[in-house]
Amino acid sequence: MNNAQKIGKVVSITHPLVQHKLTIMRETSTNSQLFRTLVKEVGMLIMFEVTRELALTTREIETPIQAMKAPTLANENLVLVSILRAGNGLLDGVLELIPNARVGFLGLYRDPKTLKPVEYYCKMPSNTPTADVFILDPMLATGHSAAAAITKLKEMKPKSIRMVNLLAAPEGIAALHNAHPDVDIYVGAIDEKLNDHGYIVPGLGDAGDRLFGTK
């Protein structure tokens, strides 16, 4: 990936539907079934914005009326990387938007004492080295897991990498861009801060637990 001169940006998605659905997700009273539905819907809405800057080319097609040069993706190798386990909540919605994308999985857990990521699983599609890669993880908290995921993916030399999150803390954004200043971050909302346990404040709690009812 040749991004030596590129400085990554942070895009906060201010669309009213994203903000409305995030509010419902934040509420303690929202159950796992509704939470899963909302994560899927918000993931689709954010991804619509993320893919806005994908490069286009043209190809010859035949309409019922005449031939034309029609716009098409310049690079159709798209890879979605779900950061297990919470990233799977975003995956279904994003796949509905770009169903031809291939999917990779990266398992990381945060050591509760050091808050550092520990990798336990990695399975990536064979086309990753030529792909536009989108990393899916609901929360960008400390930024350590995201930075580790990007470091892993850069070893495969994809065409580009973008980070996709529902919520982020300023500390996480700073840590990620300190480690990987070339990577764009797309997020539904940027919250106030991290607490002493590394959770986003005000946040929405543990996304994985709320998705799968494990707490």
Side-chain angles (χ1 to χ4, degrees), residues 159-174:
K159 183 178 179 183
S160 69
I161 298 175
R162 296 170 177 85
M163 192 77 207
V164 183
N165 309 104
L166 297 181
L167 296 182
E171 297 94 328
I173 291 172

Side-chain angles (χ1 to χ4, degrees), residues 9-22:
K9 61 188 176 184
V10 179
V11 180
S12 182
I13 311 300
T14 58
H15 194 287
L17 286 177
V18 171
Q19 299 308 310
H20 173 75
K21 291 173 186 293
L22 281 175

Side-chain angles (χ1 to χ4, degrees), residues 41-212:
E41 292 174 351
V42 174
M44 291 179 70
L45 290 167
I46 292 176
M47 199 65 185
F48 185 81
E49 189 65 32
V50 176
T51 54
R52 181 184 296 276
E53 295 185 6
L54 289 179
L56 288 174
T57 186
T58 59
R59 64 183 178 90
E60 291 279 353
I61 67 167
E62 291 281 344
T63 80
I65 307 301
Q66 67 174 41
M68 69 171 289
K69 289 186 176 181
T72 187
L73 289 176
N75 181 30
E76 295 189 69
N77 287 332
L78 305 179
V79 169
L80 311 175
V81 177
S82 173
I83 304 299
L84 300 174
R85 61 183 167 151
N88 284 359
L90 290 167
L91 186 58
D92 286 347
V94 175
L95 278 172
E96 285 193 15
L97 189 65
I98 44 176
N100 291 330
R102 298 175 74 177
V103 180
F105 296 93
L106 183 57
L108 297 166
Y109 71 87
R110 186 170 62 175
D111 185 291
K113 293 182 179 179
T114 66
L115 301 183
K116 300 293 185 181
V118 179
E119 180 185 326
Y120 65 89
Y121 184 78
C122 182
K123 185 73 171 180
M124 295 295 156
S126 60
N127 67 321
T128 302
T130 59
D132 289 309
V133 173
F134 306 90
I135 302 176
L136 309 178
D137 195 359
M139 314 297 279
L140 180 58
T142 66
H144 298 321
S145 293
I150 292 168
T151 297
K152 182 79 172 181
L153 284 161
K154 281 186 173 180
E155 294 173 0
M156 305 174 194
K157 302 185 184 305
K159 183 178 179 183
S160 69
I161 298 175
R162 296 170 177 85
M163 192 77 207
V164 183
N165 309 104
L166 297 181
L167 296 182
E171 297 94 328
I173 291 172
L176 179 54
H177 269 171
N178 182 60
H180 299 286
D182 56 313
V183 173
D184 293 340
I185 302 169
Y186 292 82
V187 61
I190 301 172
D191 277 12
E192 180 184 346
K193 62 180 182 180
L194 293 179
N195 66 15
D196 293 340
H197 299 288
Y199 283 93
I200 297 174
V201 177
L204 49 74
D206 186 294
D209 286 338
R210 296 198 66 187
L211 276 163
F212 304 114

